[in-house]
Amino acid sequence: VWAVTRNAAYTFAGTAGGIFSSSDKGTSWSKADSGIAHSYAYAFAANGSELYVSAYANGVARSTDNGNSWTA
């Protein structure tokens, strides 16, 4: 795990395998990197349901739906 952040509803983790989210404090995880070609996440910033990620070869991507989709 390279980066972790949390908002009111989810925990997000950036790994070599992509971005993952958990709504149950880490008991289970789901892939959450739709829209990011190279999803090696190095850093996150969260503001409510709006998230930003610094991802390898993509620069900064933004999600406005709790990580369901990302726009570079």
Side-chain angles (χ1 to χ4, degrees), residues 3-67:
V4 175
T5 195
R6 179 159 172 73
N7 65 17
Y10 294 91
T11 302
F12 296 89
T15 74
I19 299 169
F20 294 85
S21 67
S22 174
S23 60
D24 57 10
K25 298 182 181 177
T27 300
S28 61
W29 294 89
S30 299
K31 196 93 155 123
D33 53 14
S34 178
I36 300 177
H38 301 285
S39 57
Y40 306 140
Y42 293 108
F44 287 107
N47 182 18
S49 64
E50 193 167 83
L51 300 166
Y52 295 87
V53 63
S54 173
Y56 174 77
N58 285 336
V60 175
R62 180 180 131 194
S63 173
T64 57
D65 57 5
N66 284 312

